[in-house]
């Protein structure tokens, strides 16, 4: 059954293949299975780390381009910039006023940042209330997120229920959609690929510089001529994300049975697969980068479609709270 699905991504750096397989590909699949999708770039949220204004602007645009290149279809999906629908701030305020301090104080992502010595600002503390507003403004039913965002979804549900109990049944109580089938994508060193660990492979890399990264993927030290274990190998795990079942089987055979096949060959094969797998998206990205006005038009159109839904919610919400 078609659901209203919403998710946001922070514009916080160059996207990597962990982001693609963990977040972007599932988002495109949901879009292509007939759901009503609202996807946005969370540029207000990105302000909690006080980015340089020029960087914030450029990254927001860059993420929009990358998502469109990766398969977001603006005909099917309402694709927009968070800040183009500023009504979300008004709803965030209403939610803040029914949100107990303790609910926010308990949030792990906030506590982790404090533990890492970050000097917290009020925006960082209030982050989950704004995230709840993102979700509730569009009456979203399902919210695909990574495990790290699960608690923010619980806060969102809690606030929606509180609001409805207090002011009447107005907000849809959403469910988190945490995909269990998408494993954690390993980075160059075998840990979770993450920009914070500096172990990423960029989504749209090309040629020598990115090949060098593939060649540096950590493997065990099985000597040439000995069988290699595909099930513990990072190269194999990454190949699996992009290869057909036949291609994967062929690689498994080489690992186990071909004495002339070593990790260098596997890495080269993976690099070639990556180059081919993202070829179409890479071309599309170049086209979009050459045509920034087209991207801006898509985002504006998305914002105007998003605002229609937002306005309907806000009319009810404002009346209910007594404004
Ligand atoms: P990073 O860890 O590089 O800072 P983010 O936290 O900004 O990435 O993640 C953006 C999205 O990409 C989230 O939905 C997250 O779950 C997904 N994601 C990031 N890294 C991975 C990974 N290694 N494996 C699977 N999904 C990932
Ligand atoms: N907090 C999310 C993240 O860091 C981004 C986000 C902001 C979001 N608003 C949202 C995700 C609403 C889902 C729904 O990944």
């Amino acid at each position: 059954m078609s659901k209203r699905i919403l998710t946001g991504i922070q514009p916080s750096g160059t996207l990597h293949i962990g982001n693609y397989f963990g977040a972007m590909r599932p988002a495109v699949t949901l879009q292509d299975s007939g759901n009503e999708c609202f996807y946005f770039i969370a540029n207000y949220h990105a302000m909690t780390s006080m980015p340089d204004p020029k960087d914030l602007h450029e990254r927001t645009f860059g993420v929009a381009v990358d998502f469109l290149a990766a398969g977001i279809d603006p005909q099917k999906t309402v694709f927009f910039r968070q800040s183009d629908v500023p009504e979300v701030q008004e709803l965030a305020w209403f939610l803040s006023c029914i949100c107990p301090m303790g609910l926010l104080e308990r949030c792990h992502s906030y506590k982790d940042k404090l533990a890492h010595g970050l000097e917290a600002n009020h925006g960082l503390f209030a982050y989950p209330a704004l995230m709840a507003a993102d979700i509730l403004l569009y009456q979203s039913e399902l919210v695909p997120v990574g495990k790290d965002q699960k608690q923010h979804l619980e806060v969102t549900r809690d606030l929606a229920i509180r609001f409805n109990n207090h002011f009447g049944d107005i907000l849809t109580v959403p469910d988190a959609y945490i995909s269990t089938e998408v494993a954690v994508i390993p980075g160059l060193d075998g840990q979770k690929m993450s920009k914070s660990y500096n172990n990423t492979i960029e989504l749209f890399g090309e040629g020598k510089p990115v090949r060098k990264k593939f060649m540096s993927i950590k493997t065990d030290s099985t000597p040439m001529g000995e069988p290699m274990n595909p099930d513990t190998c990072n190269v194999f795990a990454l190949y699996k994300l992009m290869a057909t079942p036949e291609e994967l089987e062929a690689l498994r055979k080489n690992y186990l049975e071909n004495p002339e096949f070593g990790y260098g060959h596997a890495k080269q094969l993976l690099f070639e697969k990556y180059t081919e797998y993202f070829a179409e998206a890479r071309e599309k990205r170049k086209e979009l980068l050459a045509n920034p006005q087209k991207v801006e038009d898509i985002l504006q159109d998305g914002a105007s479609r998003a605002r229609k839904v937002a306005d309907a919610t806000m009319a009810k919400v404002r009346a209910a709270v007594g404004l």
Side-chain angles (χ1 to χ4, degrees):
M1 205 178 66
S2 162
K3 292 257 183 199
R4 179 163 301 170
I5 299 193
L6 171 137
T7 196
I9 175 135
Q10 284 208 46
S12 48
T14 309
L15 292 170
H16 52 73
I17 60 175
N19 298 136
Y20 178 79
F21 291 107
M24 298 164 90
R25 192 167 73 170
V28 172
T29 306
L30 286 166
Q31 158 195 280
D32 292 340
S33 15
N35 293 291
E36 191 189 1
C37 295
F38 286 67
Y39 295 154
F40 69 94
I41 305 155
N43 56 347
Y44 280 141
H45 277 112
M47 293 187 73
T48 56
S49 60
M50 291 190 291
D52 172 75
K54 190 164 164 279
D55 279 355
L56 178 62
H57 189 81
E58 284 171 4
R59 283 186 196 159
T60 303
F61 182 78
V63 169
V65 167
D66 290 357
F67 261 79
L68 290 168
I72 297 297
D73 177 350
Q75 303 292 327
K76 294 186 191 161
T77 289
V78 178
F79 184 58
F80 62 105
R81 227 174 347 223
Q82 186 183 26
S83 61
D84 285 338
V85 191
E87 288 81 349
V88 73
Q89 296 291 356
E90 188 183 358
L91 183 58
W93 176 250
F94 298 160
L95 297 173
S96 289
C97 293
I98 56 163
C99 182
M101 293 289 281
L103 205 57
L104 299 177
E105 278 161 355
R106 279 196 295 278
C107 283
H108 305 303
S109 76
Y110 168 69
K111 288 198 290 193
D112 285 353
K113 289 195 169 127
L114 288 193
H116 279 88
L118 214 91
E119 202 188 317
N121 51 45
H122 175 255
L124 188 68
F125 182 65
Y127 184 112
L130 178 59
M131 181 161 161
D134 288 324
I135 296 167
L136 302 176
L137 184 60
Y138 302 103
Q139 308 281 3
S140 317
E141 295 172 281
L142 268 192
V143 185
V145 281
K147 262 198 229 122
D148 59 320
Q149 298 293 317
K150 188 166 172 254
Q151 195 183 24
H152 290 161
L153 258 294
E154 281 155 16
V155 171
T156 304
R157 288 174 56 87
D158 188 326
L159 293 178
I161 293 167
R162 274 170 204 270
F163 187 94
N164 288 345
N165 284 343
H166 206 80
F167 298 113
D169 221 357
I170 291 172
L171 302 173
T172 303
V173 182
D175 285 307
Y177 178 79
I178 296 166
S179 170
T180 43
E181 98 218 21
V182 178
V184 172
I185 315 301
L188 298 177
D189 55 0
Q191 288 191 79
K192 173 188 181 260
M193 186 177 288
S194 169
K195 60 181 170 298
S196 346
Y197 304 150
N198 210 3
N199 64 353
T200 60
I201 295 169
E202 59 271 35
L203 179 52
F204 293 114
E206 251 184 298
K208 265 195 192 157
V210 74
R211 182 176 180 277
K212 216 170 139 189
K213 285 200 177 168
F214 279 96
M215 291 299 157
S216 76
I217 297 174
K218 198 170 153 198
T219 52
D220 65 22
S221 48
T222 310
M224 194 71 178
E226 297 283 316
M228 296 136 65
N229 184 353
D231 300 319
T232 54
C233 178
N234 294 324
V235 179
F236 193 85
L238 292 172
Y239 191 74
K240 193 172 173 181
L241 296 163
M242 300 177 246
T244 63
E246 296 75 36
E247 287 168 333
L248 194 65
E249 205 34 51
L251 184 63
R252 179 180 286 278
K253 252 187 139 163
N254 272 324
Y255 266 59
L256 297 172
E257 295 170 18
N258 183 352
E260 273 153 39
F261 190 89
Y263 286 122
H265 301 105
K267 289 175 182 178
Q268 176 64 26
L269 205 65
L270 175 62
F271 164 66
E272 285 165 13
K273 177 94 277 181
Y274 157 92
T275 304
E276 172 203 315
Y277 188 85
F278 292 111
E280 198 185 315
R282 211 179 297 116
E283 283 316 303
K284 183 126 188 254
R285 179 168 178 266
K286 283 183 191 156
E287 235 175 81
L288 291 165
L289 284 175
N291 199 348
Q293 190 54 47
K294 183 170 169 194
V295 178
E296 188 55 36
D297 291 348
I298 289 173
L299 291 171
Q300 289 303 330
D301 176 61
S304 93
R305 284 150 70 199
R307 195 170 305 111
K308 284 202 184 96
V309 180
D311 283 348
T313 304
M314 287 315 290
K316 287 190 224 161
V317 165
R318 285 187 199 114
V321 301
L323 291 185

